[in-house]
């Protein structure tokens, strides 16, 4: 494998430094002042193609790479100045020439040339001309984005620009499934894309732009080609295939319609090839575009999820996956002032998982070895309706409602071997998990500009959540003593544990912001806010006996009937000022907290007042170079799940009970971020570091009986610390090449109590990646790289070496060939675990020019790899797992493009 990568690297290096001529110089105005971000391109007079392009740096310098002995027309433009065309004939030597643009000229010419540029910047907006980066093998938006300088798409379908996650994806200015970018990335056809606009410092509310610190807010807007507007477009794909033992299929129609008045998107997907348009993980993190409106308040009250730990997939790699998916998204302009939008998503999946794992309890070294077969059924529904009413620039009224409906079932059959003090015992265990939670999230916002100096913003958000998880475990041995689960009947052939839980949450957040513009470069902000939450938690444990009778464990310690009320009323003050190259925003908030939980026939209340400061500073080094610092002191509060004092079955070998006397934790967070984007050589640099110190953290103390665990939370007087850092350097050069290197580090130190002894555990996770790629129009393109992952836990270190390569080639004006290869070497420090496996996929597509029909043959897991590995860490144990993945299969499909 290393030899293959060496050959790729040698080829990449050789083509990068093949014969070329450098043409550079300065672009200036009539007074010899440098013009930053002027556009320059070289048009080949013979082929009429654009051979090179560039944008000047802060000193007005440009640099183009041209072919020797070739005649060119050099086009130069700068908005607000007259464009210029210069004839240039290259020889074999490098050339230098300064260019002077005349004063205010015909702006239309400048706009026209800017539109031809592959990349241009207009204020906070970066515009990419998609056709300048397409090679012919692109099928979806994802394929295009991966070729744009400064843009990345991660494995979860999330778009990242300049190291920041894109929070909103739009098409023609209309929301595309607000709250998630994956559906757009995986489904919008590449041939429909004209421009990709990256909107930095984005704020949905025009009245608040410039008043808030929006440096981390990034949105993306896709501009369609003219032939795709006011017409239905999309494609319908159908395919069949074979695997080792059974047949495979895919049916995937997608339709899109965009007009100035309304838009409709329809996406469906039925398959058993492991193609997951929306995973369970995607569903639970789908925000629907709802933002954290209380982030300035200084309090952190998160509502936990009682999701029973339904097993999650490693991407789409499971033993078997069958999916049925349908989604629709619409936007409608009722009139100039009122816009409606929304979406509906329905997903059904059946999944088979086969896992081998070994869990090692820290310190004791006791082990839990498992062979587990799991069957899942997931029915997921998401529905959102949004309304925006903006009759004038002074007033805006927004309302959103997002509903999540879920029905999940999971059945597991596992063989467990316990090794306790070098003595091994084994048994068969059967578990059942069922849940159908519902949540409704509503948001109401009013924005009013009373005058140029006075702006008001009112926001309110309500969350209703209803959860009812059921858990059953059927074991041969009883993992818990009778004095723990009082009333448990021993001496059964099988020990059948069951638990019902019912958790309801009503949470209301509301705040009123007043902004006063002191000067054009400074404002102060007063915030009045309140968070109120009411929760109810009921749980009951019962046993099914061998004779079929039900044994209710009615002792109070086995049951919960708890209600919890939380209230946070606060007032905040922030002052923002721009002075020179600095933007400073010091702030402080005063909070009054009240908490009451009722259980076991009594109420327990707490109340206190606290002052929480925060600070933001931005140093604008240059137009595209910044250094940002953030500091915040926050109060972190638990919800009802950790206050319920009765036992809760976490799983068949773990019991948890809460503590009604828990207090809050306090976190101080420091973050530093550096960013530089140089359009002169398309260099992209960013780095960030975040340090968090949590005092009086809510921790968990655990007692182990062999590998069986009983846990209870407590307020620790020792601080937990975490540090995360990330850095990346990327560059596009010589027009057809792109390379990057990045690193991420995550270090954590936790203090806990295990078996009545104070213990400190640490984890240190490191990831390093280098990659390079080409982007030719008429030659094969390659991407290759290497990733090293190091997971170091207390007493254990795991390594994953992952070289990877991709080849795509568009040839004979009709054929596209794409192949991807990944090699994994997974091992631990002493090589007691040492596995190698790899994945190879390939596809060949035939589509005649201007034909609506496409024919494709694709193969997945060509090397028929059967397993993959991973590991994870808790504060009490480490776990190494081996997953069975889908076998090799080949699919023949046809696609009709509308």
């Amino acid at each position: 494998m290393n030899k293959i990568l060496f050959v790729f690297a040698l080829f990449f290096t050789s083509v990068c430094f093949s014969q070329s001529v450098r043409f550079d110089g300065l672009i200036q105005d009539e007074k010899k002042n440098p013009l930053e971000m002027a556009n320059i391109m070289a048009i080949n007079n013979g082929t009429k193609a654009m051979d090179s392009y560039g944008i000047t740096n802060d000193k007005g310098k440009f640099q183009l790479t041209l072919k020797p002995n070739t005649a060119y027309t050099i086009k130069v433009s700068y908005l607000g100045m007259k464009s210029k065309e210069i004839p240039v004939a290259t020889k074999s030597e490098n050339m230098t020439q300064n260019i002077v643009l005349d004063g205010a000229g015909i702006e239309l010419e400048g706009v026209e040339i800017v539109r031809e540029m592959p990349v241009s910047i207009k204020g906070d907006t970066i515009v990419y001309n998609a056709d300048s980066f397409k090679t012919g093998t692109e099928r979806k938006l994802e394929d295009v984005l991966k070729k744009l300088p400064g843009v990345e798409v991660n494995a979860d379908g999330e778009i990242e620009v300049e190291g920041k996650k894109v929070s909103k994806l739009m098409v023609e200015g209309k929301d595309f499934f607000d709250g998630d970018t994956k559906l757009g990335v995986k489904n919008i056809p590449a041939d429909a894309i004209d421009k990709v606009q990256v909107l930095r410092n984005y704020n949905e509310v025009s009245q608040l732009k410039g008043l808030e610190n929006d440096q981390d807010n990034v949105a993306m807007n896709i501009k369609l080609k003219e032939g795709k507007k006011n017409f239905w477009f999309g494609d319908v794909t159908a395919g069949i295939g074979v695997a080792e033992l059974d047949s495979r299929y895919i049916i995937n129609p997608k339709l899109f319609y965009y007009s100035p008045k309304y838009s409709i998107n329809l996406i469906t997907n039925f398959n058993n090839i492991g193609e997951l348009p929306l995973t369970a993980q995607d569903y639970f993190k789908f925000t629907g575009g709802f933002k954290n409106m209380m982030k300035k308040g200084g309090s952190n009250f998160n509502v936990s999820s009682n999701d029973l730990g339904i097993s999650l997939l490693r991407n789409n790699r499971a033993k078997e996956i069958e999916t049925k998916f349908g989604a629709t998204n619409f936007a409608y302009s009722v009139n100039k002032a009122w816009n409606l939008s929304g979406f509906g998503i329905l997903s059904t999946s059946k999944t088979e998982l086969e896992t081998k794992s070994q869990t090692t309890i820290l310190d004791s070294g006791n082990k839990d070895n498992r062979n587990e077969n799991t069957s899942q059924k997931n029915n997921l529904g998401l529905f959102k309706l949004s309304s925006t009413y903006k009759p004038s620039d002074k007033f805006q009224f927004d309302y959103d409602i997002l509903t999540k409906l879920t029905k999940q079932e999971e059945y597991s059959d596992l063989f467990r071997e316990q090794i306790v003090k070098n003595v091994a015992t084994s048994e068969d265990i059967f578990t059942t998990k069922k849940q159908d939670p519902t949540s409704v999230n509503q948001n109401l916002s009013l924005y009013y500009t009373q005058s140029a100096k006075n702006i008001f913003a009112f926001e309110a958000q309500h969350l209703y959540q209803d959860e009812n998880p059921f858990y059953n475990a059927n074991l041969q041995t009883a993992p818990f003593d009778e004095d723990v689960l009082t009333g448990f009947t021993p001496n059964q052939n099988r020990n059948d544990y069951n638990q019902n839980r019912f958790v309801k949450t009503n949470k209301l957040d509301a705040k009123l912001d007043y902004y006063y513009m002191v000067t054009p470069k400074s404002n102060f902000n007063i915030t009045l806010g309140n968070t109120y939450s009411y929760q109810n938690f009921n749980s009951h444990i019962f046993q099914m006996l061998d004779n079929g009778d039900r044994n209710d464990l009615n002792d109070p310690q086995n049951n919960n009937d708890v209600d919890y009320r939380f209230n946070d009323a606060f007032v905040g003050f922030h002052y923002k000022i721009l002075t020179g190259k600095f933007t400073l925003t010091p702030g402080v908030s005063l909070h009054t907290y009240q908490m009451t939980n009722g259980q076991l026939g009594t109420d327990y209340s707490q109340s206190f007042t606290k002052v929480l400061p925060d600070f933001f500073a931005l140093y604008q080094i240059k137009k595209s170079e910044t250094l940002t610092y953030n500091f915040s002191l926050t109060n972190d509060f638990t919800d009802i799940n950790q206050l319920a004092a009765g036992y809760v079955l976490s799983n068949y070998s773990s019991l948890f009970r809460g503590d009604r006397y828990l207090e809050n934790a306090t976190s101080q967070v420091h973050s530093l971020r550096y960013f530089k984007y140089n359009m002169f050589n398309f260099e992209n640099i960013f780095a960030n570091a975040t340090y968090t110190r949590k005092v009086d953290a809510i921790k968990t103390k655990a007692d182990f009986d062999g590998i069986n665990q009983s846990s209870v939370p407590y307020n620790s007087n020792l601080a937990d610390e975490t540090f995360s850092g990330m850095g990346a350097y990327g560059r596009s050069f010589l027009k057809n090449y792109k390379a990057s290197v990045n690193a991420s580090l995550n270090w954590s130190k936790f203090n806990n109590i295990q078996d009545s002894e104070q213990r400190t555990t640490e984890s240190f996770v490191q990831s390093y990646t280098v990659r390079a790629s080409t982007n030719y129009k008429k030659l094969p393109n390659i991407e290759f790289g290497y990733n090293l992952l190091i997971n170091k836990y207390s007493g254990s270190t795991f390594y994953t070496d992952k070289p990877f390569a991709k080849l795509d080639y568009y040839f004979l004006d009709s054929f596209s060939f794409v192949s991807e290869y990944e090699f994994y070497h997974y091992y631990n420090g002493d090589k007691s675990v040492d596995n190698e496996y790899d994945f190879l996929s390939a596809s060949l597509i035939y589509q005649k020019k201007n034909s609506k029909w496409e024919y494709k043959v694709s193969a997945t897991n060509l090397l028929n790899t059967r397993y993959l590995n991973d590991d994870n860490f808790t504060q009490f144990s480490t776990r190494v797992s081996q997953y069975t993945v889908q076998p090799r299969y080949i699919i023949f499909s046809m696609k009709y493009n509308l």
Side-chain angles (χ1 to χ4, degrees):
M1 182 64 207
N2 290 334
K3 291 181 179 179
I4 296 174
L5 286 176
F6 175 76
V7 172
F8 280 155
L10 187 63
F11 171 75
F12 183 83
T13 304
S14 64
V15 295
C16 285
F17 293 96
S18 58
Q19 187 179 15
S20 59
V21 173
R22 188 180 69 201
F23 176 60
D24 59 17
L26 300 176
I27 298 178
Q28 303 167 320
D29 64 14
E30 294 169 307
K31 297 180 180 179
K32 303 299 182 180
N33 295 316
L35 296 177
E36 183 179 2
M37 295 187 181
N39 299 313
I40 182 168
M41 67 181 74
I43 306 299
N44 189 312
N45 290 344
T47 64
K48 304 303 180 184
M50 181 176 59
D51 281 359
S52 188
Y53 66 93
I55 296 175
T56 57
N57 64 10
D58 59 320
K59 297 179 181 178
K61 185 177 180 180
F62 70 88
Q63 182 175 300
L64 303 178
T65 302
L66 308 178
K67 297 176 182 178
N69 304 312
T70 305
Y72 286 97
T73 298
I74 304 298
K75 296 186 176 183
V76 184
S77 66
Y78 188 83
L79 288 179
M81 306 194 78
K82 189 174 181 179
S83 302
K84 179 172 285 189
E85 294 187 3
I86 302 171
V88 169
T90 62
K91 296 182 180 179
S92 57
E93 299 84 13
N94 294 334
M95 302 172 62
T96 298
Q97 182 174 340
N98 295 337
I99 301 170
V100 177
L101 294 184
D102 297 334
I106 305 172
E107 191 161 316
L108 179 61
E109 291 181 4
V111 174
E112 183 180 349
I113 291 183
V114 169
R115 287 180 57 84
E116 296 175 358
M117 285 289 293
V119 186
S120 60
I121 294 182
K122 302 175 183 178
D124 286 334
T125 302
I126 305 175
V127 182
Y128 297 94
N129 182 9
D131 285 345
S132 299
F133 300 92
K134 294 177 186 177
T135 61
T137 60
E138 302 82 11
R139 291 296 178 267
K140 304 302 175 191
L141 172 61
E142 175 181 29
D143 303 322
V144 177
L145 295 180
K146 287 182 176 179
K147 296 181 177 181
L148 305 182
V151 180
E152 300 290 342
V153 180
N154 65 25
D156 295 324
E158 296 173 335
I159 308 171
E160 296 175 353
V161 178
E162 303 167 356
K164 303 172 186 176
K165 180 181 173 181
V166 173
S167 57
K168 178 185 284 289
L169 178 64
M170 298 174 286
V171 177
E172 291 292 326
K174 298 176 174 63
D175 290 346
F176 193 93
F177 292 96
D178 195 18
D180 180 76
T181 59
K182 182 177 180 179
L183 288 175
V185 161
K186 300 290 186 181
N187 290 284
I188 296 175
D191 62 3
I193 302 168
D194 182 32
K195 299 286 189 296
V196 176
Q197 297 176 332
V198 174
L199 312 174
R200 301 177 294 179
N201 302 320
Y202 181 74
N203 196 314
E204 293 183 78
V205 183
S206 58
Q207 292 101 310
L208 301 184
K209 188 168 180 63
L211 299 177
E212 303 277 0
N213 294 312
D214 300 318
Q215 283 76 15
D216 290 333
N217 297 342
V218 181
M220 180 173 284
N221 182 45
I222 306 301
K223 300 291 291 183
L224 299 175
K225 291 182 178 294
E226 287 302 321
K228 303 299 182 180
K229 299 175 186 178
N230 299 309
F231 293 97
W232 284 97
F233 68 94
D235 53 69
V236 179
T237 301
I240 58 173
V242 294
E244 286 185 332
L245 302 174
D246 52 11
S247 61
R248 302 284 163 171
Y249 70 90
I250 180 170
I251 303 171
N252 187 198
K254 295 185 286 289
L255 298 173
F256 308 89
Y257 183 88
Y258 281 86
S259 72
K261 186 77 173 177
Y262 65 92
S263 67
I264 300 174
N265 305 295
L266 297 171
I267 301 171
T268 60
N269 197 324
F270 308 90
N271 75 85
N272 65 349
I273 64 172
E275 193 171 287
L276 283 166
L278 191 76
T279 66
Q281 299 99 306
D282 297 330
Y283 171 83
F284 284 110
K285 72 181 182 181
F286 205 109
T287 65
F290 281 69
K291 58 193 175 201
N292 178 15
M293 54 175 281
M294 306 302 278
K295 63 182 180 180
K296 289 194 303 182
S299 296
N300 186 13
F301 182 86
N302 286 323
V303 177
S304 302
S305 173
N306 288 269
D307 61 5
L308 288 176
I310 296 288
S311 300
L312 301 178
L313 305 179
R314 273 291 305 266
N315 298 327
N316 63 340
R317 289 173 176 164
K319 184 178 180 181
E320 194 69 36
I321 310 172
E322 184 172 7
T323 300
K324 297 176 181 179
F325 174 86
T328 182
N329 172 226
F330 81 94
Y332 176 62
S333 298
V334 181
N335 51 48
K336 290 184 179 181
W338 187 19
N339 291 284
L340 296 174
S341 63
F343 60 76
I345 299 173
L346 291 172
S347 177
T348 298
S349 64
K350 296 180 180 179
T351 306
E352 302 292 331
L353 295 160
E354 184 178 303
T355 309
K356 296 180 180 180
S357 64
Q358 181 179 84
T359 301
T360 302
I361 308 301
L362 298 179
D363 190 61
S364 71
N366 295 332
K367 298 184 185 298
D368 180 7
N369 298 323
R370 305 179 193 177
N371 291 346
E372 187 170 3
N373 289 283
T374 300
S375 175
Q376 291 180 5
K377 293 181 180 179
N378 292 296
N379 295 296
L380 311 173
L382 277 164
F383 306 93
K384 183 185 179 185
L385 179 65
S386 298
S387 170
T388 297
Y389 179 66
K390 190 174 182 180
S392 69
D393 292 337
K394 291 188 174 184
F395 180 75
Q396 181 172 328
F397 172 40
D398 295 340
Y399 174 76
D400 308 277
I401 180 169
L402 174 70
T403 302
K404 290 186 177 183
L405 304 173
T406 311
K407 185 175 182 180
Q408 293 182 291
E409 298 178 3
E410 178 179 286
Y411 304 92
S412 292
D413 175 2
L414 67 94
F415 176 79
R416 178 175 74 163
E417 180 186 49
Q418 306 179 55
I419 303 176
V420 179
K421 296 181 180 179
N422 297 319
V423 176
T425 58
S426 60
E427 64 175 320
D428 292 312
I429 300 174
F430 306 96
T431 66
T432 299
K433 301 176 181 179
K434 296 181 180 180
Q435 59 188 19
D436 54 350
T438 299
S439 73
V440 180
N441 206 335
Q442 299 180 80
N443 183 80
L444 184 149
S445 304
L446 293 166
Y447 307 97
Y448 175 62
T449 302
Q450 189 269 330
S451 66
K453 287 182 173 290
N454 299 279
I455 299 103
F456 296 87
F458 174 78
E459 297 174 304
Q461 195 171 110
H462 176 255
L463 169 68
Y464 170 77
Q465 187 168 283
D466 188 348
E467 301 172 288
N468 60 346
F470 169 78
Y471 179 72
N472 166 259
N474 188 294
L475 305 88
Q476 289 176 270
T477 60
F480 311 113
D481 294 336
E482 297 167 39
D483 58 345
V484 175
L485 290 181
T486 308
F488 185 81
T489 301
N491 303 319
Q492 301 289 300
N493 292 325
R494 301 287 300 183
N495 295 281
D496 195 315
Y497 297 84
N498 300 268
Q499 179 172 261
N500 286 310
R501 268 188 274 173
F502 303 93
V503 187
K504 288 189 177 181
T505 300
N506 276 281
K507 179 171 174 279
L508 177 64
D509 296 300
K511 71 182 179 76
L512 174 66
D513 279 293
Y514 168 65
Y515 300 89
Y516 178 74
M517 297 296 298
V518 181
T519 70
K521 292 188 176 182
S522 66
N523 72 80
F524 69 76
N525 165 220
I526 298 175
T527 304
L528 298 175
N530 195 88
T531 293
Y532 174 77
S533 173
Y534 176 80
Q535 295 180 290
N536 182 260
F537 184 104
N538 284 276
S539 69
H540 175 62
I541 299 175
F542 62 94
Q543 176 190 13
M544 297 303 297
L545 304 179
D546 289 346
N547 61 10
D549 291 343
R550 171 170 166 153
N551 174 30
D552 286 293
L553 279 62
N554 290 321
D555 189 283
Q557 73 175 11
N558 302 324
N559 297 273
N560 286 290
D561 185 2
V562 187
D563 60 72
Y564 177 48
R565 294 175 294 278
F566 171 87
N567 196 80
D568 168 24
F570 70 91
V571 57
F573 178 87
H574 290 82
Y575 180 68
K576 179 180 178 181
I577 182 170
L578 282 70
T579 173
K581 293 186 175 183
F582 290 90
T583 301
L584 305 174
T585 311
V588 66
S589 56
L590 172 66
H591 295 255
T592 298
Y593 300 103
Q594 292 180 321
M595 296 152 283
T596 301
N597 71 78
Q599 55 185 310
L600 303 173
T602 62
D603 285 347
Y604 173 72
S605 298
Q606 302 177 65
S607 62
F608 64 95
T609 300
K610 194 159 188 177
V611 175
L612 300 173
D614 60 86
F615 181 72
F616 171 89
L618 170 69
Y619 175 36
Q620 192 78 43
I621 304 170
K622 294 179 182 178
K623 278 188 178 181
S624 296
E625 185 176 11
T626 60
L627 182 66
T628 307
Y629 170 73
N630 256 310
F631 164 77
S632 64
L633 188 67
T634 62
N635 270 5
D636 301 322
F637 295 89
T638 183
D639 73 347
I640 198 169
N641 287 274
Q642 296 201 70
L643 300 174
Y647 280 116
V648 174
L649 281 169
S650 299
N651 59 54
Y652 56 81
S653 63
S654 178
L655 275 177
F656 176 87
R657 60 177 177 176
D659 181 355
R660 68 183 305 185
Y661 303 109
L662 287 177
E663 299 176 354
N664 67 289
T666 301
S667 296
Q668 55 171 291
V669 181
H670 302 265
S671 65
L672 189 66
R673 181 186 186 92
Y674 172 78
F675 160 73
K676 180 181 180 181
Y677 191 69
N678 189 343
M679 293 294 290
F680 170 68
N681 54 14
F682 298 99
E683 182 182 62
N684 185 56
I685 306 172
F686 64 86
N688 62 66
T690 301
Y691 171 76
T692 303
R693 179 181 175 86
K694 184 172 288 190
V695 183
D696 297 326
I698 297 174
K699 307 296 299 176
T700 300
K701 56 183 176 182
D703 293 317
F704 286 87
D705 179 9
I707 63 169
N708 300 316
Q709 176 181 345
S710 296
S711 306
V712 63
Y714 70 101
N715 277 101
S716 170
N717 58 0
L718 297 175
D720 282 353
E721 297 176 90
T722 61
F723 173 82
S724 62
M726 181 179 181
Y729 175 85
R731 182 175 172 184
S732 297
F733 50 99
L734 297 181
K735 184 184 175 184
N736 296 316
Y737 308 99
K738 183 178 179 182
S740 65
V741 56
N742 64 66
S744 65
L745 311 171
N746 288 277
W747 172 82
S748 302
K749 184 177 77 171
F750 303 104
N751 295 285
N752 257 322
I753 297 175
Q754 182 176 341
D755 295 327
S756 302
E757 292 186 13
Q758 181 73 46
R759 303 190 189 280
T760 299
T761 56
E762 293 188 26
S763 71
F764 185 32
V765 177
Q766 307 164 65
S767 178
Y768 307 94
T769 305
V770 294
R771 68 173 72 224
S773 61
T774 65
N775 193 32
Y776 288 107
K777 296 281 187 180
K778 296 183 179 181
L779 293 175
N781 287 298
I782 61 170
E783 177 186 2
F784 59 93
Y786 172 77
N787 171 254
L788 172 63
L789 179 65
I790 305 173
N791 294 338
K792 185 175 182 180
Y793 313 128
S794 294
S796 303
T797 304
F798 300 91
Y799 302 87
T800 303
D801 292 312
K802 179 189 167 185
F804 56 89
K806 179 181 179 180
L807 171 68
D808 65 82
Y809 185 29
Y810 180 70
F811 57 99
L812 299 179
D813 289 331
S814 300
F815 291 91
S816 298
F817 177 76
V818 179
S819 181
E820 295 186 59
Y821 177 75
E822 296 175 340
F823 176 84
Y824 295 82
H825 182 199
Y826 178 82
Y827 56 99
N828 62 358
D830 60 9
K831 294 295 181 74
S832 59
V833 177
D834 193 348
N835 295 330
E836 293 183 354
Y837 53 92
D838 48 5
F839 292 94
L840 175 65
S841 65
S843 63
L844 179 65
I845 300 172
Y846 172 74
Q847 183 178 17
K848 291 185 67 174
K849 195 171 184 180
N850 300 322
S851 172
K852 292 182 176 295
W853 288 97
E854 175 187 290
Y855 305 91
K856 179 180 179 181
V857 56
S858 59
T860 300
N861 195 5
L862 272 167
L863 304 176
N864 210 28
T865 297
R866 306 314 302 266
Y867 310 101
L868 58 79
N869 296 94
D870 76 354
D871 52 78
N872 57 36
F873 167 77
T874 72
Q875 297 176 39
F876 300 110
S877 64
T878 59
R879 175 173 170 167
V880 182
S881 302
Q882 183 183 78
Y883 297 86
T884 300
V885 299
Q886 286 187 298
R888 172 177 51 221
Y889 54 78
I890 300 174
I891 299 290
F892 301 92
S893 62
M894 293 188 301
K895 183 169 75 173
Y896 181 75
N897 297 287
L898 298 179

